[in-house]
Amino acid sequence: MATSFKFKPLTISILLLFLYNAIASSASGSSSTTMHTNNWAILVCTSRFWFNYRHMANTLSLYRTVKRLGIPDERIILMLADDMACNARNKYPAQVFNNENHLLNLYGDNVEVDYRGYEVTVENFLRILTGRHERAVPRSKRLLSDEGSHILLYMTGHGGDEFLKFQDSEELQSHDLADAVKQMKEKRRFKELLIMVDTCQAATLFSQLQSPGVLAIGSSKKGENSYSHHLDSDVGVSVVDRFTFYTLAFFESLNMYDNASLSSLFTSYNPNTLMSTAYYRTDLYQRRLEEVPVTNFFGSVMETIHTDSPYRAFSNRYYRKSKTEMPSDQSGGGNRRALKDLDILEELADPKLNVRPLQSTYLLVHEG
Amino acid sequence: MTEVSAVVKPKPRPIIRIGLFLISHSLFVSIVCCIAGVLALLLLPVLAKNTYISENALMPGSASAMLSTDDASDGHVFVNKIMSISSMSINSGIEIPEMIAKHIIESGGEVNYHKFQPLSDSFHPLQFFVGPDAGMVQDNYSSTSYGVNTVGIVRAPRGDGKEAIIIVTPYNSVKPTTSEALSLGVAYSVFTLLSRVSWLAKDIIWLAADSRHGEHAAVAAWLRDYYTLSSGDLEHEVTSVKRDGVSNGFRRAGTMAAALVIKVADSSTGFEKDGLKIYAEASNGQMPNLDLINIVNYLAVHGQGLQVRVEKIWSLLDSWWLYSLGELQELIGKVAKSLNPGWKFGIPASDYVEGCTTLASSLYNQALGIPTGPHGAFRDYQVDAITLEFSPRFSSSQRVLFLLHVGRLVEGVIRSVNNLLEKFHQSFFLYLMTSPSRFVSVGTYMIAFALLIAPLPLVAAALFSDASKSKSPGESIPTSPAWNWLYTAKTVLIVHLWGAIVTIIPYFLRQFPDSSPLISLLTWIASSAVLLFFTRAASSSLPFSCASQLQTSEWTLLKAVTVAAAFIGLCLMSVINYATAEIGALLLVPMCLMAVPLRIDATAKTAKTVARGACNVLLVFVGFPPAAFLLSKGALSSFDGVRLDDFWNWIESLREWNSATYIYICMVHLPCWVLLALAVVAAKGVALFSNIQTREQMEAQVHVASQKAESHINDVNALITGMERLGLELFGDEGLEVPSLDKGKRIENVFGDPIPDAINVRPPDTVHTKGSGSRKVSRKEAVIRQMHKPLRRCKKCRELVRHDSRNCGKEKEKNKSK
C-alpha cells in the first residue's frame, strides 16, 4: 500500500487519463459495452487411463484448432489428466492421433501443456477460473483475462447428471461450475464465455449457470450418452468422440478469415451422426448467434480500433506517420490494437474516428 | 386416550413373534424351504445371466491382430524341429529345453532354466487357510529325475517392469507328443511376435513347463521358486554359468496379472470349427475372475470363430427327467408370456439340459476342490489363470492355419490383459458357469443354499423346545433341559473330535505303501469303527442317561444339537467352498429333518411311520460318504464299473490336493452322519456314551442342588411378590404400557411446555451496526468521481485544475514530504 501513495503527479495524471479514456469508450464500464479485448481458451481433459485415450485426443485436437485459428499458446491453458503419448501401451510412442489414418500427430512440436497428470484437479480448475492462485503459480498457468476477454472453456471426460468426473476420483458439479463462473463475472474476468462440454449428459452441467454473457453447448442432453466416433484398431482404442469429431470437421474447412457464425456451428450437429442431441443454452447470451463469428471464440478475431499513437490521448497531438504497435500488456485499462495494414491505416487516419469500431472487417491480431 | 387392557404383560417384539411362529410351524416351514431350495437349484440354468465384460480397460478385440502368416509358419517350423528331436532315439530330456532357449534368445528374449524336483506329496490340512507354504523349498537335486522348465521373458520396452503376463505350455521334455509340440509352436509364434511389438506394458513370461512329473507339479514348483527367495538364488546370480547366454539364475518379472495355460487336445473335435475348451476351476472351488473367461470367450467366438465349450457331464445330457423338467419350465415360461408379454423367463428345453449338465459339472468340479489343470497352481498365489485346450479340426493338415488362429487368439487375450491397469477385480470371482457365455452369480446361487439350510436352525429350536417341555414321566427329580443340552453338546463334540482323528488316519496308512486301495479303505473304515468304540470307552465319564431309560426328550435333544452342529458346519463350509456345502446340504438336510428312532416308528405301526422309517434307513444308507460317492458314480456312468476302491482313490486325491472337501467330509459330514445314524438305527446306541454309575452320582448332585434351592424357595417367593407389589404401586394397572400419544403431545411432554397456538415472540429485526451502509471509496473510484467534476480555474496559478488558490502548491509539498 505504501508504494501506491508514492505516485508522482505525472503518473497519476497518466492513470487518470487512461481511465478517462476507458470510461469514455465503455460508458459505464459494464461488460455489455466493454470492448472485446482478447481471447483465451481453457481446454480440459479430465480423465486418466489408457482406455480414455480419446479424451486426450479430443482436447489436443481442439488445442490444435484454436491455435491454428489464432489463439497463441500463452492464452491457452491446456490441462491433460494423463499422458497417453508416453503410455507404454501406445504403439506409436510420443504420438497421439485423432484419426485412424494417422496423418496428423497431435502431440508434435510446440504443445505446451500447462497442467498435466495429477495437477488436473477440480481445485486447480476452479482456481484457474476464479484466478485465486497461490503466489508461486507462474503467470503461464494463470488465466489473466480481463473484462473484455472472450473465453472458450472446453471440457471432455466422463460425466453424468450434473457432474463431470475428474481423474477418476473427484467430481466437478454443475453448482461448482456455475459458482466459479459467477465469481468470474463479478471479478470481471470475461466478457463472453463459451462453455463446450463433450461428456455423457453434458447438458446437465449447465443447469445452474446464471451469469450473463455465458453461452453453453454440450454434446448430449440429460439421459443421453455421448459416443466415441471410431476405433483405431492399430492403436487399439477409440481415438475421438463424435461431438468433438464433428466440431473439428466443421473447423477444418475454416481458416481464420472465414466469417462462419456460431449458429452455423450449432446447426451443423446432426443428431443421427452424433447419436446424441447437441444442446445449447443461449438464454444468458445477449448477442444473436447469427451475428457472432465462431472465430470470436475459437480464434482471436475481434473488432479492432485504430489509434495512431498510444500517446495521442495524452498529448492531443497527432503523429500521422507513426505506426507503432501498442505493447499488448493488458494491465492497462483499455487495450488498443494497432493495425499493421497501412492502407486501412491511411483510410482511417482521422482524428475523429478514434474509437470507431470496424463494422465488417475482422482482422486477426496476434497478441503479445 | 389410554386403552385399558387386562393384560399387563408387554407384547414381544415382532421379530421374536415371527421366530416363535416359525418354530411352532417348523415342520411345514422346513418342508416348504427344502422343496424351494431344490427347485431353486434346478432353476439356476434359467436364472443364469449372460456374461459381459465388466472392466472398461480390457477392450478385447479393439486392436487388430498383428500375428501374421509368417509368424505362424515360423511356429510350424519350430513344431517340426521339436518333433524331429522327439523322434531321435537317444533323448536325455535336455535337448528340447536347449532348443527352446536358443530360439528365445534369437527372438530377443531373456531365458533361464529352472530345475526342480517334484515334492513328495504331504498332507497340509490347513493349506487352504494359509496359502502355499513358502518354507518347503527343497534344495537337494541329488536325484537324477529332476525336471527342467524353460523360462523365456520379454521385457516391455517402455513398461515399468512391475507386472507380467504368463503363457504356460506344459510338455514332456523326453517324449513330447504332436499336440504338445503344437502348443509349444503356438507359444513360440506369439512370443516372437511380442518380442517385436511396441505396445507392451507388462512383461511376458513364457514358461515351457516340463510335465515329466505332472503338469501341475512343474508349474507349482516354478511358482514356488518365483515367489520365494531360495537360498541358492543369490549364489546363482553371482556364479551363474553363462552358457549360450542362458542364465542359471532365476529370472523374475513383476507381479503376475494373468496366466494362460495353452494345451492342444490329442483328438480332433469332429466339429466343423476348431474347438476351444476352457478349464477354470482351481483348488477348493476358487475361480479366476469372470472377465478373464469373458475375454477369451469373446475373442474366440467373435474374433477367430472357434467353438467354445466348458466342461459338462455328458451322461446327464440324455437323461429323460432333466429333459422333461426343461420342457416343463419352457411351458411355464410360455404360459407366463401369454399372460403378460413382459414376463420373459423360460429357455428352450435343450438349452436347459445343456445348462444343467454344465452347471452340474461346474458344481462338481468346484466341490471336489481339485484344480482342473495347471492353472490351479496360479490361483494359490491369487493370480487369475485359465487353461485353454484347443482341439484342431483336422489332426495333421492345415497346421499353419491352426497356429494362426490360436496364436491370434492368444495375442488378443494378452493385448487385452496388457491394457489392464490393476488386477482383475471388476467382475465376479464367485460364480458357476452354465455355458461359456452364461453364468450364475453368487447372489443367485446362494438363495438355493440358504433355502436348503434355513430349516436346520428352526428344527433345532423346535426340537429343543419340545425336549424342554416334555418332562420324562418316570423322573422324580425335575431336571433342567439346559443341563441335558450341555451334556448332549459334549457328546456331539466328542464325536466330532473322533471325526478329526479319522481325518488323520490315512496319513498313517500311507506309511504302508504297498497296500492296495481296497485294503487301505477297509483298514481305514475298520480303524475308524474301533476308534469310535474306544471313544465310547474313553468318554465313559460322560453323565448321560442309560439305555433302558433313553426317553424321547433325550434323543430329541441329541438330534437338536446334531442339527445345530450340521448347520454350523454347512455354513462354515459354504464360505470356504460353496459347491461342497451345497452338495453336502443336499445329503445332510433331508437326513437331519427326517431322523426319528426306528424304535419309536416301530411301536406305532401306521403307514406313515413305516414310510418314515424306510426313508430314514434309505437316507442313512445314502448319507454314508462311500455309498453316496459310489451311487452317484454308478448313476452317472454305469454300475458295472463301480468298485469300492474307487472311493479310496478319490479320497486320496482329495487329500493330496489339500482339498477342503476332504476335511468337510471327515469332520462335518461323517460325525453328523454317525450321530444321526445312531439316533435312527439304534437309539440305544446313544447310550453307549453313558455310564450308569456316574449317572446316579449326577442325579444325586442334582437332587442336592434342587433341595438347596427349595429350602430358600420361600425367600425367593417373597422377593417376587414384593417386586410385583412395588411395580403396581409405581405404575398402577397400566404399568408397562407404551403411551400412545400423538407426536405433538410427546414433544410437549419432553419440553414440559405446550406448543403455543399464536406466535408472539419473533426474532429481532436486523441490526444496523455503526458505519454500515457506507463503505470506503477506493482510490480508483475516488479518481473516477473526481473526473466527472468540471475543472476550476485556480486564482493563483491561473490554470484549469482541481485545486483552489488556498491549496495551490500544497499537493506538491505533500507528495514531497512523503
Side-chain angles (χ1 to χ4, degrees), chain B residues 327-347:
Chain B
E327 287 198 320
L328 181 68
Q329 64 82 22
E330 196 184 352
L331 186 73
I332 293 171
K334 275 178 185 164
V335 171
K337 205 176 178 184
S338 67
L339 289 175
N340 183 351
W343 292 344
K344 277 176 191 164
F345 53 89
I347 52 172

Side-chain angles (χ1 to χ4, degrees), chain A residues 41-112:
Chain A
I42 309 168
L43 311 174
V44 192
C45 157
T46 63
S47 39
R48 296 191 73 72
F49 306 139
W50 171 243
F51 59 93
N52 291 322
Y53 183 95
R54 62 182 185 280
H55 293 149
M56 183 171 167
N58 287 343
T59 315
L60 283 173
S61 318
L62 222 80
Y63 171 77
R64 179 184 163 276
T65 303
V66 296
K67 221 168 137 179
R68 184 174 65 84
L69 292 178
I71 305 183
D73 249 335
E74 67 263 24
R75 299 220 164 149
I76 302 175
I77 293 176
L78 182 58
M79 305 176 84
L80 298 176
D82 203 351
D83 190 359
M84 301 306 166
C86 297
N87 193 305
R89 295 166 183 86
N90 193 351
K91 192 178 170 186
Y92 301 94
Q95 297 180 65
V96 176
F97 300 107
N98 69 348
N99 200 308
E100 209 177 4
N101 60 25
H102 295 178
L103 291 177
L104 175 68
N105 174 20
L106 298 168
Y107 211 65
D109 298 335
N110 296 324
V111 176
E112 288 181 15

Side-chain angles (χ1 to χ4, degrees), chain A residues 78-348:
Chain A
L78 182 58
M79 305 176 84
L80 298 176
D82 203 351
D83 190 359
M84 301 306 166
C86 297
N87 193 305
R89 295 166 183 86
N90 193 351
K91 192 178 170 186
Y92 301 94
Q95 297 180 65
V96 176
F97 300 107
N98 69 348
N99 200 308
E100 209 177 4
N101 60 25
H102 295 178
L103 291 177
L104 175 68
N105 174 20
L106 298 168
Y107 211 65
D109 298 335
N110 296 324
V111 176
E112 288 181 15
V113 187
D114 297 296
Y115 289 80
R116 68 170 78 233
Y118 288 112
E119 284 179 341
V120 182
T121 56
V122 173
E123 185 191 328
N124 276 345
F125 175 71
L126 294 178
R127 280 186 186 282
I128 291 167
L129 290 187
T130 54
R132 298 167 66 154
H133 291 282
E134 300 204 354
R135 294 178 72 187
V137 174
R139 281 171 68 85
S140 65
K141 291 178 125 184
R142 297 178 185 228
L143 178 72
L144 299 167
S145 60
D146 54 51
E147 59 185 323
S149 300
H150 281 197
I151 301 177
L152 166 71
L153 170 59
Y154 174 84
M155 293 190 280
T156 180
H158 290 285
D161 195 356
E162 305 217 355
F163 71 88
L164 171 63
K165 207 162 84 170
F166 268 67
Q167 294 273 9
D168 209 35
S169 60
E170 331 173 77
E171 284 166 4
L172 172 78
Q173 294 206 350
S174 57
H175 290 277
D176 305 335
L177 181 66
D179 185 51
V181 170
K182 208 173 193 172
Q183 278 192 51
M184 288 172 79
K185 190 74 207 172
E186 281 167 4
K187 291 180 170 178
R188 295 187 182 167
R189 286 172 66 76
F190 70 87
K191 177 167 183 275
E192 289 177 9
L193 170 66
L194 171 61
I195 306 178
M196 193 177 216
V197 177
D198 188 353
T199 70
C200 296
Q201 311 198 38
T204 58
L205 206 60
F206 312 139
S207 58
Q208 307 297 332
L209 290 173
Q210 289 173 332
S211 312
V214 179
L215 187 62
I217 177 157
S219 60
S220 52
K221 287 187 170 171
K222 184 176 179 175
E224 285 182 341
N225 284 336
S226 296
Y227 293 98
S228 61
H229 185 261
H230 68 271
L231 181 92
D232 185 341
S233 59
D234 211 18
V235 183
V237 282
S238 301
V239 285
V240 70
D241 278 319
R242 282 181 179 265
F243 178 76
T244 307
F245 181 85
Y246 290 109
T247 308
L248 295 173
F250 177 85
F251 280 111
E252 280 308 299
S253 62
L254 295 183
N255 62 30
M256 58 175 85
Y257 304 106
D258 278 316
N259 248 342
S261 68
L262 275 179
S263 72
S264 68
L265 168 66
F266 289 1
T267 49
S268 72
Y269 298 117
N270 179 359
N272 293 329
T273 52
L274 223 55
M275 292 165 76
S276 62
T277 326
Y279 164 91
Y280 48 97
R281 185 170 166 191
T282 54
D283 56 338
L284 300 169
Y285 193 68
Q286 292 92 353
R287 290 199 283 166
R288 293 183 61 223
L289 295 185
E290 290 79 14
E291 291 166 359
V292 185
V294 286
T295 43
N296 254 221
F297 288 103
F298 291 87
S300 197
V301 176
M302 59 193 76
E303 297 177 29
T304 49
I305 302 132
H306 161 246
T307 57
D308 280 322
S309 157
Y311 307 110
R312 180 174 161 266
F314 315 127
S315 61
N316 260 341
R317 265 191 274 167
Y318 179 56
Y319 298 101
R320 189 165 188 97
K321 285 172 189 173
S322 74
K323 288 179 283 180
T324 323
E325 280 187 51
M326 172 149 176
S328 74
D329 192 344
Q330 67 274 7
S331 56
N335 271 341
R336 295 287 178 275
R337 306 281 168 250
L339 303 179
K340 287 180 179 174
D341 195 316
L342 192 63
D343 294 347
I344 300 171
L345 189 75
E346 292 293 324
E347 181 195 321
L348 298 172

Side-chain angles (χ1 to χ4, degrees), chain A residues 5 16 89-91 233 236, chain B residues 62 64 158 198 418 779 783:
Chain A
F5 287 109
L16 292 182
R89 295 166 183 86
N90 193 351
K91 192 178 170 186
S233 59
Chain B
S62 63
S64 52
R158 284 171 297 127
S198 57
N418 182 53
R779 182 179 296 266
V783 170

Side-chain angles (χ1 to χ4, degrees), chain B residues 512-538:
Chain B
F512 313 103
D514 297 333
S515 57
S516 76
L518 188 64
I519 291 171
S520 302
L521 178 66
L522 291 177
T523 326
W524 189 27
I525 293 174
S527 55
S528 304
V530 168
L531 259 175
L532 191 63
F533 184 76
F534 276 123
T535 316
R536 185 214 66 165

